[in-house]
Amino acid sequence: METSNLPAIRALRPAWNKDRIVGQKRPLKPKHVWAIRVRLELAENHRDLALFNLAIDSKLRGCDLVKMRVVDVMASGQIKERASVLQSKTQKPVRFEISEGTRASLARWMREPLMVGSEYLWPGRFHERLHISTRQYARIVRDWVTSIGLEASAYGTHSMRRTKVTQIYKKTGNLRAVQLLLGHTKMDSTVRYLGVELEDALVIAEAIE
C-alpha cells in the first residue's frame, strides 16, 4: 500500500526583527560620548569606562573587542599607545590608537581584583566563560545609551565602531583614512558604512543652486 508524502509542517515563529528597528545603527555624537563617560566616572564603574573608551578608540567589531587579551594593550607593564588586533571576519590585522584617557581608564581597570591573573581584558563572571559574550556586550551598550535618554533600538554595538570614524570623516572627508581604520578591504564597504554622512552631503548640495 502506497502512502502519499505529506508536506512538512513547520511551527510558525515570529520574525526575529518584528517590532524592531533594523538597519545601520547610529553613531554617537561627541556630546553623547562625554555624557556616558561622565556617568561611568561618577559611578566609579571602572570596567565599563575602560570598555567604552576602548570601544570608541579601537573601532573594532564587538566579536573582536570582547576577545581582546591583556597582551594586546599592555607591554612591559605599560599600556601601549598603539595596538593591533587580528580581525575574526577578515583574518587581517587592524591597528588603532589608544588615547591618553583610554590608557588611564585601562590602567585603573587593570588594578581591579577581577583582573588579577586574567588573560582577557573583559573576563566573564563565570568560570566556564573566559570573557564576556557579544550578547552581554550588546546589553552593556544598551544600558549606556538608555542611561542618557537615547532610544535603545537606534543604537547598538556597531554604534561604538562607527562613532570615531564618523567624526574623522566629517572633519577631514578622508575616506581612505576611514577605510584603513576600519580594516575594510574595499572602499565600497567604507562608502556604504558612511551612508548617513553621504546623505548629509546631498542635503548640502541641494541647498546650493
Side-chain angles (χ1 to χ4, degrees):
M1 181 178 174
E2 295 184 1
T3 56
S4 58
N5 292 327
L6 298 175
I9 298 176
R10 295 182 180 178
L12 294 177
R13 296 181 180 178
W16 67 271
N17 57 352
K18 183 179 180 181
D19 298 327
R20 296 184 185 181
I21 297 176
V22 296
Q24 203 171 54
K25 298 299 184 181
R26 299 175 187 172
L28 295 174
K29 296 180 180 180
K31 64 179 181 180
H32 299 151
V33 172
W34 285 109
I36 292 173
R37 279 179 178 155
V38 167
R39 284 178 176 271
L40 294 176
E41 287 173 356
L42 291 176
E44 297 186 354
N45 191 334
H46 304 302
R47 185 203 65 174
D48 276 21
L49 180 60
L51 178 59
F52 178 78
N53 285 339
L54 192 60
I56 297 292
D57 276 357
S58 69
K59 302 164 284 287
L60 289 172
R61 298 177 181 86
C63 59
D64 294 322
L65 182 67
V66 299
K67 295 177 184 177
M68 286 190 70
R69 300 169 185 264
V70 173
V71 295
D72 291 330
V73 300
M74 180 174 280
S76 303
Q78 299 292 325
I79 306 296
K80 302 176 183 177
E81 293 186 2
R82 292 183 179 179
S84 178
V85 169
L86 185 68
Q87 300 175 99
S88 57
K89 183 176 181 178
T90 63
Q91 291 302 305
K92 292 184 178 181
V94 63
R95 297 191 69 193
F96 56 88
E97 77 291 349
I98 304 179
S99 63
E100 183 178 354
T102 301
R103 294 198 301 272
S105 60
L106 281 169
R108 179 63 186 83
W109 168 235
M110 294 290 187
R111 296 195 292 269
E112 288 291 312
L114 187 62
M115 287 300 296
V116 176
S118 175
E119 178 184 357
Y120 290 92
L121 264 180
W122 324 113
R125 298 185 183 277
F126 304 102
H127 296 296
E128 67 272 11
R129 184 175 297 166
L130 298 176
H131 54 76
I132 63 173
S133 64
T134 52
R135 181 170 292 185
Q136 184 177 354
Y137 174 49
R139 287 197 296 267
I140 292 170
V141 171
R142 182 187 62 203
D143 290 342
W144 291 339
V145 299
T146 56
S147 71
I148 59 170
L150 296 178
E151 175 57 49
S153 59
Y155 298 85
T157 57
H158 247 54
S159 297
M160 314 306 297
R161 176 165 160 80
R162 298 185 67 221
T163 292
K164 199 165 189 176
V165 292
T166 298
Q167 293 303 314
I168 291 171
Y169 179 69
K170 278 186 175 180
K171 291 181 179 180
T172 68
N174 192 330
L175 274 174
R176 176 59 178 164
V178 173
Q179 179 191 10
L180 292 172
L181 291 170
L182 289 172
H184 286 163
T185 56
K186 297 181 180 179
M187 185 66 77
D188 288 348
S189 300
T190 307
V191 171
R192 287 195 300 271
Y193 211 75
L194 295 172
V196 174
E197 275 51 61
L198 294 180
E199 287 180 9
D200 292 342
L202 288 173
V203 171
I204 294 172
E206 289 169 352
I208 299 175
E209 296 182 356

